[in-house]
């Protein structure tokens, strides 16, 4: 296909061209992948400014979306790329390929970094010691879904930050449509991977002390609360490096209808829910039990009951998890939706493994989106209308996959706390190429933790929308005083 960039894509291209370190906070379906690939093509083959690029993306996106985009556009023809996936031997072979762009799934990133980063080993104790040595052999890093690195305590963040500290990676691009899914606290880890702490501080402690207060119990923090005026100051700090665009400001998409299916527990089922909530324990007829020790664990167990089943306690952590069905209210509601729309295909989003098993038992024609090489087959079957009921988990299928051609209805069997997962998953249907109105059905059991999750999700959404709008307004004011220049692309 011939690439004819939209005005917002030209603006995004100009932003990353003007900034060696750049963040693209672009809403879903704004086609940021082709923008970045166009930039990489220019920098590799026309300007020779970059010699070797590492693209880090969610695993399915790395294996499917990036290669498809490279094959799709005529102006990218001849781009030499290699997808680092599969067994260790296959990954090694892909890493040695004659290419300029290397694409790797985030789950394999630790393996890649360990290949190049090391410590000396004591000949007396056999343990590693001293500073980290080695460096990454790339001069450009692209992180597709930068928000996957928002957790400052995660292994992927720690390893990547350490590797960047030791490596000369002058060009860095971070892409996400959900920069602050849990609030402004998420921004520090993402930004330091791009600017080494220049804007929000080189340690999390400095960022926390300057912009937040905390609510908690001793050393346990329940919530990070922005200080008065902090959101505006944070947006001001990152406005030069971050470009913010929201999808509906630039694309005309079909209407999105969110329908909360309000459900009621039967009297006996309600008693089970209330008993666990009050007594922190349940006993079953086979002498198995469920016990709760913390309020967070209680909420998790109550959400399980709302979904219709609950896991019993495990004495042996290596043994398979056993669950007990306690009601069928959501299974029945899903069946009613299918009966109400007999000619339509559905995506059902599940949270707990027992939900997946129970749905597949109740509806044998349901198809779970498989992992590995089978993903492409399921992906194509769905988009060609051959799957009536596709079951996905938001952590595995919430980023990058184009599922808009197989249907227009999505059911959240259980609603997630995670705003990033929620928005990204909905965007698998609500994206460019979708011609029909989208219906998102959320199964909500009244008087349960389901309603609390729904409220929290709405609160997070409003905070993130404020950040995106604030960055956009500040950039518009800043560029309003300067003459803007635009490069021809593709």
């Amino acid at each position: 296909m011939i690439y004819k960039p939209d005005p917002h894509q030209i603006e995004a291209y100009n932003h990353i061209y003007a900034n060696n370190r750049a963040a693209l906070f672009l809403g879903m379906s704004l086609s940021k992948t082709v923008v970045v690939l166009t930039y990489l093509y220019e920098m590799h083959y026309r300007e020779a400014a970059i010699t070797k690029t590492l693209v880090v993306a969610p695993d399915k996106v790395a294996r499917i979306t990036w290669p498809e985009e490279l094959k799709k556009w005529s102006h990218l023809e001849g781009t030499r790329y290699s997808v680092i996936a599969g067994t260790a031997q296959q990954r090694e072979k892909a890493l040695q390929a004659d290419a300029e762009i290397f694409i790797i799934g985030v789950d394999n990133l630790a393996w890649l970094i360990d290949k190049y980063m090391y410590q000396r080993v004591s000949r007396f104790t056999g343990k590693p010691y001293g500073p980290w040595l080695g460096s990454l052999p790339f001069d450009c890093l692209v992180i597709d879904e930068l928000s996957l690195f928002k957790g400052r305590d995660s292994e992927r963040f720690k390893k990547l930050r350490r590797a960047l500290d030791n490596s000369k990676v002058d060009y860095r691009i971070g892409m996400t449509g959900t920069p602050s899914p849990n609030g402004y606290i998420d921004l520090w880890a993402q930004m330091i991977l791009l600017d080494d702490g220049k804007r929000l501080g080189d340690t999390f402690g400095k960022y926390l002390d300057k912009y937040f207060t905390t609510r908690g119990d001793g050393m346990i923090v329940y919530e990070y609360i922005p200080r008065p005026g902090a959101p505006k100051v944070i947006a001001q700090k990152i406005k030069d490096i971050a470009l913010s665009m929201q999808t509906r400001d630039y694309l005309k998409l079909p209407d999105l209808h969110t329908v909360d299916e309000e459900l009621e527990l039967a009297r006996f089922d309600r008693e089970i829910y209330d008993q666990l909530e009050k007594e922190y324990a349940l006993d079953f007829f086979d002498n198995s039990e469920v016990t709760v020790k913390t309020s967070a664990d209680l909420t998790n167990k109550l959400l399980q009951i709302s979904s219709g089943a609950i896991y019993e306690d495990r004495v042996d952590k290596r043994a398979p998890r056993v669950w007990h069905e306690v009601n069928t209210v959501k299974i029945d509601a899903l069946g009613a939706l299918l009966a109400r729309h007999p000619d339509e295909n559905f995506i059902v989003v599940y949270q707990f493994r027992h939900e997946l098993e129970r749905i597949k038992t109740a509806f044998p024609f349901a198809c779970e989106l498989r992992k590995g090489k089978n993903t492409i087959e399921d992906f194509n079957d769905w988009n060609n209308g051959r799957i009536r009921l596709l079951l996905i988990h938001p952590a595995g299928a919430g980023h990058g996959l184009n599922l808009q051609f197989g249907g227009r209805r999505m059911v959240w069997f259980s609603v997630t706390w995670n705003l990033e997962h929620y928005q990204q998953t909905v965007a698998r249907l609500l994206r460019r190429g979708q011609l029909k109105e989208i219906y998102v059905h959320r199964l909500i059991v009244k008087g349960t933790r389901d309603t609390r999750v729904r409220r929290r999700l709405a609160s997070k959404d409003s905070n993130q929308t404020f950040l995106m709008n604030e960055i956009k307004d500040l950039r518009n004011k800043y560029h309003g005083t300067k003459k803007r220049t635009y490069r021809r692309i593709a």
Side-chain angles (χ1 to χ4, degrees):
M1 293 179 63
I2 297 175
Y3 182 45
K4 298 179 180 179
D6 295 331
H8 75 270
Q9 291 176 305
I10 296 175
E11 184 175 358
Y13 179 93
N14 285 327
H15 175 67
I16 58 179
Y17 188 86
N19 297 278
N20 290 358
R21 312 284 183 92
L24 293 179
F25 293 167
L26 270 60
M28 284 69 77
S29 201
L30 288 179
S31 301
K32 48 188 176 288
T33 304
V34 67
V35 171
V36 173
L37 281 172
T38 303
Y39 167 80
L40 293 178
Y41 187 92
E42 173 94 6
M43 300 301 281
H44 275 287
Y45 302 116
R46 293 184 181 173
E47 298 196 9
I50 299 172
T51 59
K52 205 172 182 181
T53 293
L54 177 67
V55 176
V56 181
D59 290 320
K60 291 183 177 67
V61 177
R63 285 186 286 105
I64 299 175
T65 305
W66 281 81
E68 281 191 344
E69 290 288 302
L70 281 159
K71 296 170 187 174
K72 179 179 180 180
W73 302 106
S74 60
H75 72 291
L76 300 176
E77 186 177 3
T79 302
R80 299 190 302 176
Y81 70 95
S82 179
V83 179
I84 304 170
T87 64
Q89 184 177 5
Q90 290 170 329
R91 296 197 298 268
E92 287 281 1
K93 184 178 179 181
L95 197 54
Q96 301 306 317
D98 185 15
E100 281 76 45
I101 300 175
F102 293 81
I103 307 165
I104 192 168
V106 69
D107 286 353
N108 285 323
L109 180 62
W111 168 85
L112 179 70
I113 293 174
D114 288 342
K115 181 176 175 60
Y116 294 105
M117 303 291 297
Y118 62 95
Q119 289 177 295
R120 292 187 177 91
V121 177
S122 171
R123 56 180 177 173
F124 300 108
T125 65
K127 296 181 179 180
Y129 73 97
W132 285 89
L133 306 173
S135 63
L136 296 177
F138 305 97
D139 49 6
C140 178
L141 171 68
V142 176
I143 304 177
D144 187 357
E145 296 309 337
L146 181 63
S147 55
L148 292 175
F149 292 84
K150 65 183 180 295
R152 64 192 180 279
D153 294 323
S154 66
E155 180 189 38
R156 66 176 63 145
F157 168 77
K158 290 178 179 178
K159 289 200 170 190
L160 183 55
R161 186 184 178 192
R162 182 191 304 141
L164 290 174
D165 286 344
N166 275 38
S167 307
K168 189 174 178 59
V169 185
D170 292 330
Y171 295 85
R172 304 180 196 175
I173 301 172
M175 308 154 59
T176 182
T178 51
S180 55
N182 298 308
Y184 303 99
I185 204 70
D186 289 342
L187 288 172
W188 178 82
Q190 298 174 73
M191 296 307 301
I192 200 170
L193 292 179
L194 299 181
D195 72 356
D196 298 319
K198 178 181 177 181
R199 290 164 181 79
L200 299 182
D202 57 2
T203 68
F204 176 71
K206 292 178 182 178
Y207 180 62
L208 181 63
D209 291 343
K210 188 171 184 178
Y211 298 109
F212 297 88
T213 59
T214 59
R215 182 180 68 85
D217 182 9
M219 298 295 292
I220 301 175
V221 177
Y222 299 141
E223 185 179 8
Y224 295 100
I225 305 170
R227 297 181 185 276
K232 286 182 174 291
V233 175
I234 292 171
Q236 175 72 29
K237 288 280 187 180
I238 66 176
K239 76 175 189 301
D240 64 320
I241 195 174
L243 175 66
S244 169
M245 296 180 178
Q246 297 195 70
T247 305
R248 289 196 178 276
D249 293 338
Y250 298 90
L251 293 182
K252 182 170 179 56
L253 295 175
D255 290 337
L256 170 64
H257 304 281
T258 301
V259 182
D260 285 343
E261 309 286 345
E262 301 276 358
L263 310 174
E264 291 270 11
L265 288 176
R267 180 178 177 183
F268 178 76
D269 297 332
R270 184 78 215 191
E271 289 175 356
I272 295 175
Y273 183 95
D274 293 341
Q275 179 184 338
L276 180 62
E277 188 173 34
K278 293 176 182 177
E279 301 179 11
Y280 280 47
L282 282 179
D283 296 316
F284 295 99
F285 291 115
D286 60 0
N287 294 323
S288 60
E289 63 180 2
V290 172
T291 56
V292 175
K293 296 180 180 179
T294 68
S295 57
D297 191 26
L298 175 63
T299 293
N300 186 53
K301 295 293 187 185
L302 291 174
L303 287 171
Q304 289 180 39
I305 291 181
S306 296
S307 75
I310 189 169
Y311 288 108
E312 69 177 43
D313 297 337
R314 281 192 300 179
V315 178
D316 183 358
K317 299 298 183 183
R318 297 168 298 180
R321 300 199 70 184
V322 177
W323 51 266
H324 296 266
E325 187 171 67
V326 291
N327 68 71
T328 62
V329 63
K330 289 191 177 182
I331 291 289
D332 296 340
L334 178 57
L337 278 172
L338 293 173
R340 199 185 310 161
H341 306 283
D343 298 324
E344 297 200 53
N345 300 331
F346 283 74
I347 290 178
V348 176
V349 189
Y350 68 91
Q351 303 293 327
F352 302 107
R353 189 73 190 177
H354 64 64
E355 294 176 338
L356 173 67
E357 295 172 10
R358 292 169 56 237
I359 293 170
K360 290 171 73 173
T361 299
F363 309 99
F365 54 86
C367 175
E368 177 187 2
L369 184 66
R370 293 172 293 177
K371 298 179 180 179
K373 61 183 181 181
N374 294 317
T375 302
I376 297 177
E377 181 181 345
D378 294 340
F379 166 81
N380 290 330
D381 283 346
W382 164 261
N383 277 327
N384 288 313
R386 292 192 289 266
I387 297 177
R388 174 86 203 280
L389 195 61
L390 180 66
L391 310 180
I392 68 173
H393 192 281
H399 294 89
L401 293 181
N402 297 315
L403 300 174
Q404 69 270 37
F405 303 110
R408 62 168 182 161
R409 292 190 183 270
M410 177 178 290
V411 178
W412 284 80
F413 202 83
S414 294
V415 181
T416 177
W417 295 96
N418 191 310
L419 178 65
E420 177 185 7
H421 285 174
Y422 182 80
Q423 292 184 334
Q424 292 281 3
T425 303
V426 171
R428 297 316 99 213
L429 292 184
L430 186 64
R431 59 194 305 105
R432 192 191 298 238
Q434 176 62 259
L435 302 178
K436 299 179 179 179
E437 292 179 311
I438 300 299
Y439 287 85
V440 175
H441 303 268
R442 305 191 299 191
L443 305 185
I444 305 293
V445 179
K446 291 190 289 186
T448 70
R449 289 295 197 277
D450 283 358
T451 58
R452 184 180 297 184
V453 175
R454 178 174 57 185
R455 288 197 303 271
R456 182 61 176 149
L457 204 61
S459 174
K460 291 179 179 180
D461 185 32
S462 63
N463 287 336
Q464 181 166 266
T465 300
F466 176 87
L467 173 70
M468 300 280 277
N469 288 334
E470 188 69 16
I471 293 174
K472 181 179 68 175
D473 292 345
L474 287 169
R475 284 184 59 83
N476 288 340
K477 291 178 183 177
Y478 173 73
H479 287 294
T481 62
K482 299 180 64 176
K483 182 178 179 180
R484 304 177 73 170
T485 58
Y486 291 90
R487 290 178 54 83
R488 176 185 63 83
I489 66 175

